[in-house]
Amino acid sequence: MGLLFFKNIPFSCKLQSRFGHGLQQGDPLGPTLFALAIHEVTSKIKADINIWYLDDGCIGGDPQTVLTNSTMIRDSSSSIGLEINNSKCELLLINHTDINKPQTSKLLQDQFLSLSIPDPIHWQLLGSPLHQESAPPHLKAKIKVLDSITENLELIELHQAFFILKNCLSIPKLTYLLRSAPCFKCKEELKAFDTTIRINTEKISDVTLGKDSWSQASLPIRHGGLGLRSAADLSLPCFLSSSFACQGLVNRLLPSLTLPHGEVINATVTWSALHDSSPQQKETQSAWDNLACRDSLTALLDTPSPWNHCRLLTAQKSHTAAWSEAFLIASIGNLMSSQSQLPCELVPIFSKARNAAVRSLLTG
């Protein structure tokens, strides 16, 4: 059992009799000890594909090979106190015809009751879509979850609501999907996600954002924005940086594959159509993102409106938006209320004031 410390008191085997057996929730050694426990089992697998991330495993091969190894895992796991949850197991039928699909399905389902066989459009591995048409449904599911979670944001203080929206509910929930799938092709779904973020921002701030104001708000803080990043803007930097970062590993696993290929080439072509240059450090997401943000900032500054220039130049000053990244701790003054009298140049969107100066600063 791992050793946890609470106020320097060891929380260990003395409490084992109370809890019975196994690791306790939150034990930092839990994942490591679990991996050690199943290592001997996973090492026995003889299959073309044998990939594991803790308790999430993927076995690939012909039907009989998959059945033999799956049965071995079930029996070996039982001997060390682990059980396979059949309802969470999936069978992906690749390169199967309508004739042999029922045979393979029956072969596996006879041994593993409740085994699900999803349609190709719903195939995923560790939450990442595997099929070329799977990205749109995954994005729609993210939008649906976002809609349901953000319904009550306007019921809490606006500073708290903004902090939660920015750091918990928006892009942080989407980054993994953007990096692991070609979501840049799903323009409608990305636009819908961004629209949901914008609508919720307007609700909690009680301010209608114009096109330029929202374009600025979606920039990172270092470029004068509020960090409410656009999924459409980040889709290419995420996917391209992730693809180039893992090229070495892909080449080791599949040495016969010519890289880059497929969707990576499509993403590169799409990027070239939108931007004049590519970063030297192609494996770094911020390198791609900085170029895209620079182009967006140039487009915003290329306007005759003095209000736009004022807003952009003020927002780029050092520490202007530091308040938006601070943890919400009322005792040290980091939690602002809706009634706080705050300088409009520091909180250009979240002031509830109705004076013309603030509205001009917001909407240009």
Side-chain angles (χ1 to χ4, degrees):
M1 174 183 272
L3 196 64
L4 290 178
F5 291 89
F6 296 93
K7 297 182 179 179
N8 298 321
I9 301 175
F11 178 81
S12 184
C13 298
K14 292 182 179 179
L15 298 180
Q16 186 170 359
S17 59
R18 176 182 174 185
F19 292 102
H21 65 278
L23 298 164
Q24 304 310 310
Q25 184 72 28
D27 191 330
L29 289 179
T32 301
L33 295 177
F34 180 85
L36 289 173
I38 67 170
H39 178 69
E40 184 177 351
V41 177
T42 57
S43 298
K44 296 177 182 178
I45 297 173
K46 305 296 181 183
D48 295 334
I49 299 177
N50 179 24
I51 303 172
W52 288 80
Y53 181 78
L54 296 177
D55 60 340
D56 288 314
C58 180
I59 304 172
D62 61 80
Q64 190 58 50
T65 297
V66 172
L67 175 61
T68 301
N69 284 280
S70 300
T71 305
M72 182 275 295
I73 294 173
R74 180 184 60 190
D75 298 339
S76 300
S77 300
S78 178
S79 65
I80 59 175
L82 299 175
E83 295 182 3
I84 293 180
N85 188 344
N86 293 340
S87 63
K88 291 187 177 181
C89 296
E90 295 181 344
L91 176 63
L92 310 184
L93 300 176
I94 302 174
N95 295 329
H96 273 60
T97 64
D98 293 336
I99 297 177
N100 54 24
K101 275 184 180 180
Q103 299 173 354
T104 302
S105 301
K106 186 177 186 305
L107 180 67
L108 273 296
Q109 286 181 323
D110 285 346
Q111 292 295 324
F112 297 90
L113 302 177
S114 304
L115 177 69
S116 63
I117 306 177
D119 293 331
I121 197 171
H122 297 299
W123 288 358
Q124 60 177 338
L125 181 61
L126 295 176
S128 177
L130 297 178
H131 196 269
Q132 59 181 357
E133 297 180 0
S134 298
H138 277 73
L139 284 170
K140 289 177 181 178
K142 294 286 187 181
I143 296 171
K144 184 177 180 180
V145 171
L146 180 63
D147 281 332
S148 63
I149 294 177
T150 55
E151 286 181 353
N152 297 324
L153 278 181
E154 56 186 314
L155 301 180
I156 62 177
E157 292 287 344
L158 58 93
H159 191 193
Q160 296 170 331
F162 167 72
F163 187 88
I164 294 173
L165 180 66
K166 171 179 173 289
N167 296 295
C168 303
L169 303 182
S170 54
I171 289 299
K173 289 288 187 181
L174 200 64
T175 302
Y176 174 71
L177 182 59
L178 295 179
R179 288 181 62 85
S180 59
C183 296
F184 65 91
K185 300 166 61 178
C186 309
K187 293 180 172 55
E188 292 184 5
E189 288 77 14
L190 293 175
K191 182 179 179 181
F193 187 93
D194 290 340
T195 300
T196 301
I197 297 298
R198 178 175 179 171
I199 290 174
N200 279 281
T201 303
E202 292 178 337
K203 282 182 179 179
I204 63 178
S205 63
D206 197 20
V207 173
T208 301
L209 299 174
K211 180 180 178 181
D212 289 341
S213 295
W214 178 247
S215 296
Q216 180 188 349
S218 62
L219 289 172
I221 290 176
R222 65 182 181 275
H223 288 289
L226 288 176
L228 292 166
R229 304 307 311 280
S230 162
D233 292 344
L234 280 176
S235 58
L236 277 172
C238 283
F239 184 73
L240 284 169
S241 60
S242 177
S243 299
F244 282 105
C246 67
Q247 275 192 1
L249 178 59
V250 173
N251 190 52
R252 287 163 57 190
L253 294 173
L254 302 170
S256 61
L257 186 65
T258 302
L259 298 175
H261 76 103
E263 297 296 356
V264 182
I265 295 178
N266 293 336
T268 305
V269 172
T270 303
W271 174 270
S272 299
L274 297 172
H275 307 282
D276 296 332
S277 60
S278 299
Q280 294 183 347
Q281 294 181 322
K282 290 182 169 54
E283 69 282 358
T284 305
Q285 180 177 321
S286 60
W288 296 91
D289 190 29
N290 282 333
L291 287 177
C293 290
R294 195 176 305 159
D295 290 346
S296 298
L297 191 58
T298 301
L300 286 172
L301 287 170
D302 188 20
T303 172
S305 171
W307 290 111
N308 283 352
H309 284 274
C310 176
R311 182 177 62 239
L312 287 167
L313 294 176
T314 300
Q316 292 180 69
K317 294 295 183 180
S318 179
H319 305 304
T320 297
W323 61 271
S324 66
E325 296 189 301
F327 285 105
L328 309 183
I329 306 175
S331 60
I332 61 175
N334 285 347
L335 179 59
M336 299 181 291
S337 68
S338 301
Q339 290 75 34
S340 298
Q341 298 299 317
L342 299 167
C344 60
E345 69 270 17
L346 294 181
V347 281
I349 284 182
F350 298 98
S351 175
K352 290 281 187 175
R354 292 293 188 271
N355 59 70
V358 172
R359 286 205 170 274
S360 297
L361 184 63
L362 285 171
T363 62

